[in-house]
Every structure is written in C-alpha cells, then in structure tokens.
Amino acid sequence: MATPSVVETMRERLYRRDPVFSFEFFPPRDAKGGEALNNALVELSPLNPAFVSVTCGAAGSTRDLTRDLVCSLQDRYRFGVMAHITANGYSRSGLADLVKDYHARGIRNFLALRGDPPRDDPGWTPGPDQAGHAADVVKMVRDLFSDVSIGVAGYPETHPEAASAESDLRFLREKVEAGADFVVTQMVFDNAGYFAFEHRARKSGVRAPILPGIMPVTRSGQIERFEGMCKIEVPKTLRAAVRGREDPGRVREIGIAYAAAQCADLLRRGAPGIHFFTLNQSRACHAVFAALQAMGW
Ligand SMILES: Cc1cc2nc3c(=O)[nH]c(=O)nc-3n(C[C@H](O)[C@H](O)[C@H](O)COP(=O)(O)OP(=O)(O)OC[C@H]3O[C@@H](n4cnc5c(N)ncnc54)[C@H](O)[C@@H]3O)c2cc1C
C-alpha cells in the first residue's frame, strides 16, 4: 500500500484559533445520490474547508459505503476527512479493526458516537461485545492512537433519551475526559440556546471547543421533520417565515439568509467555527459561505 498522506488533525487546526469550517456528507446509496454528492463536492471543495465528515448510517447500515467514501475523499482532497464511527452496528473488535484500517490509510479525525438505534429496533441496547456509549468508543480510539483527533456529539437541547440536562452534560464531560478533543452539536437554529449550552458545558468542566452544527433550511417541510427526528425546536421567526410558502426558491432564500445571519452572529460571539450539515446539497451552504466571506470571515 502506498504511504498515505497525513493532513493536519482537527486538534492542531483548532489550536490555530481562526474559524474552522466543515461540511458533513452522507454516503449515497444509488447512482442518482452519487451524482448529487459529486456535484456538491465540486461546488464545496474549492471553499477549502478545514475538514469534511462522512456519516455512518444507523446501526452501521452504510458501513462499507462510509468506509469507501472516507477513503476516496482522503485520497482525492488536501483537506482533512473525519470518519463518523458508531458503537451501534459493530462489535468492539470490529470497530477497533475499522479504526486501525482508517489510521493505516491516513485518517486522523474521528467523530466517536454511540449511533442511532436501528430503524426497526428503536429500543436497541448494546450486546455484550459492543461498546454501550460514545465515551467507550472515545476511550477505545484514544487507547489505540494518540495522534488522532476525536470529536463527539453535543446536544444544546439535551439528547432525547437523557434522564436530565445535567446528566447529559455529565456524560458529555465523560466523553471529553475519555480523550475527545472537540464537540460538534446537533443542529442549532437558536444562537441563544447554543451559547447557554456552551456556558453550562463550561460550568460542568467541559473545556473542549464546541462547534455549532448548522443546517440551512431549503424546503418548507423540513422544519417539522427536523423537530420530529431530532427533538429540537425551531424558532418561531424562522417557522413563520417559511410556513405555507409554495415557492421553493423563496424558501431557500429565506433559509440561506437566516443561516448566514445566524453563522455571522455565532462567529462574532466566539464560536470556534461552523459545521454545516449539507445533506449532500451544495447550493445553500455555498451561498451561506459566500455571505460569510463577504462579511469578512
Ligand atoms: C454532529 C452529529 C453527527 C452524527 N452522526 C451520526 C452518524 O454518522 N451515525 C449515527 O448513527 N448517528 C449520528 N448522530 C446521532 C447520534 O448517534 C445519536 O444522537 C445517538 O442517539 C447518540 O449518540 P451519542 O454519541 O451522542 O451517544 P452518547 O454520548 O453515548 O449518549 C447517548 C445517550 O446516553 C446517555 N449516556 C451517555 N453515557 C451514559 C452512561 N455512561 N450511562 C447512562 N447514560 C449515558 C446520554 O445522556 C444520551 O442520552 C450524530 C449526531 C450529531 C450531533
């Protein structure tokens, strides 16, 4: 195997303290999806993000697709690639093998997750040979390699299964103490909620940078779907602005304007960067990025 190229890790990148921009993609399952992803990469890669990340479908359902996409992006681009890895869907040894394989290919950034339960088993509990929580995954990766950056998920509106906001923060701290370098949040639409979460996280001892996750709204039905799926609340102003609008172009314009203003405010008030959930589409994220550049970011 040729010696893999190793690029700057997120830990090194965040240390530089200028804003970190990243794009999240998912592995397409068919040719049409592949074309959409390719188009998005062609549009977004010249923006030179600090890293791009690749999701892993619920319960490892895209395990081979994720691995192939992570490796092909690593070979194709200069920016860092972050592989999402999940406890759910893998045995401990299977997950360790995956991480070792990624490492041998030059991947140095991981988002360590418990993972979503399988669609047909919402009450999933880990098997005896599986990691039970994301902190176990962080520890496993950190025990294997000291030269990688590890991110973990954070929930400004509290994870839906958490017993309380306090316990959720305690477990976030556990993930960081196990070796995580940074936190990427669930999608945020309300900056006050992000900063309140950051404040509470700092008070409970979480020192790692917390990157807000941003998803520009591009279709009117998305808001209900995000709220239902992720148990988050979208501010009334945005909800009212897109409700009942038939014109998709107008909805996209509103979503872009909202996200651009939101990102500028986040950065101005000290957020370490922006993680964009692209849904493998480029137009909205590109427009938000261009607006931020025009504002001097
Ligand atoms: C940026 C981002 C990217 C994501 N990418 C993916 C992806 O690619 N694939 C995917 O399947 N899912 C993904 N998810 C979703 C995530 O996997 C789910 O939200 C999942 O339900 C929880 O994962 P976690 O890593 O946050 O789990 P954990 O941190 O383990 O937390 C899960 C729940 O358990 C609780 N908990 C944690 N530790 C303990 C403990 N020791 N004892 C008792 N309770 C505990 C927490 O409070 C929380 O309620 C992503 C989420 C985010 C925010």
Side-chain angles (χ1 to χ4, degrees):
M1 195 192 307
T3 312
S5 64
V6 174
V7 292
E8 190 178 39
T9 63
M10 273 299 288
R11 193 168 42 195
E12 292 158 345
R13 182 65 183 75
L14 282 160
Y15 188 71
R16 282 208 263 129
R17 290 186 175 269
D18 48 335
V20 164
F21 295 103
S22 54
F23 296 119
E24 181 174 306
F25 299 105
F26 62 86
R29 290 175 191 260
D30 55 28
K32 195 165 162 241
E35 199 183 320
L37 172 64
N38 247 330
N39 292 339
L41 285 165
V42 167
E43 285 281 316
L44 296 176
S45 58
L47 301 176
N48 202 19
F51 71 96
V52 296
S53 84
V54 180
T55 65
C56 184
S61 56
T62 63
R63 59 172 70 213
D64 294 339
L65 296 173
T66 296
R67 191 177 154 283
D68 291 350
L69 181 57
V70 166
C71 294
S72 84
L73 293 177
Q74 170 77 7
D75 293 343
R76 199 164 142 194
Y77 294 107
R78 290 287 310 143
F79 40 69
V81 179
M82 178 165 81
H84 293 208
I85 54 170
T86 61
N88 188 341
Y90 294 85
S91 65
R92 281 178 192 274
S93 62
L95 199 55
D97 287 344
L98 177 71
V99 172
K100 287 183 212 164
D101 182 44
Y102 274 141
H103 191 271
R105 289 165 182 274
I107 307 297
R108 294 292 184 271
N109 299 297
F110 296 95
L111 190 68
L113 300 150
R114 183 200 70 183
D116 284 325
R119 286 186 209 294
D120 56 356
D121 183 13
W124 169 86
T125 51
D129 64 339
Q130 288 184 305
H133 292 288
D136 304 335
V137 181
V138 174
K139 186 169 179 335
M140 189 218 32
V141 179
R142 188 51 80 211
D143 285 349
L144 283 171
F145 298 110
S146 58
D147 64 344
V148 299
S149 283
I150 307 174
V152 290
Y155 301 86
E157 297 181 57
T158 304
H159 185 266
E161 292 166 36
S164 67
E166 290 71 31
S167 73
D168 208 29
L169 275 175
R170 205 167 58 243
F171 295 129
L172 178 64
R173 195 182 71 203
E174 209 171 282
K175 295 195 270 195
V176 175
E177 285 174 348
D181 301 294
F182 63 100
V183 178
V184 185
T185 74
Q186 180 58 281
M187 59 184 89
V188 170
F189 289 98
D190 171 20
N191 289 357
Y194 165 82
F195 286 111
F197 171 67
E198 194 201 25
H199 181 71
R200 289 188 293 116
R202 300 291 176 242
K203 262 179 69 178
S204 61
V206 175
R207 298 275 161 263
I210 302 177
L211 274 176
I214 296 294
M215 168 101 78
V217 170
T218 54
R219 288 193 305 278
S220 56
Q222 274 176 329
I223 289 182
E224 282 71 27
R225 208 154 54 81
F226 297 157
E227 288 186 323
M229 247 168 44
C230 308
K231 308 283 181 266
I232 54 163
E233 215 170 289
V234 174
K236 286 195 186 79
T237 44
L238 178 58
R239 172 188 285 285
V242 300
R243 185 189 295 130
R245 285 205 186 264
E246 301 289 331
D247 176 0
R250 186 76 188 116
V251 171
R252 198 179 314 111
E253 272 173 22
I254 293 167
I256 290 167
Y258 186 92
Q262 193 194 352
C263 291
D265 181 60
L266 283 164
L267 294 169
R268 190 177 49 78
R269 292 165 65 189
I274 305 287
H275 182 71
F276 289 102
F277 299 107
T278 70
L279 295 181
N280 291 4
Q281 302 293 320
S282 60
R283 225 186 315 169
C285 291
H286 195 280
V288 172
F289 207 93
L292 290 176
Q293 280 182 326
M295 286 186 258
W297 290 105

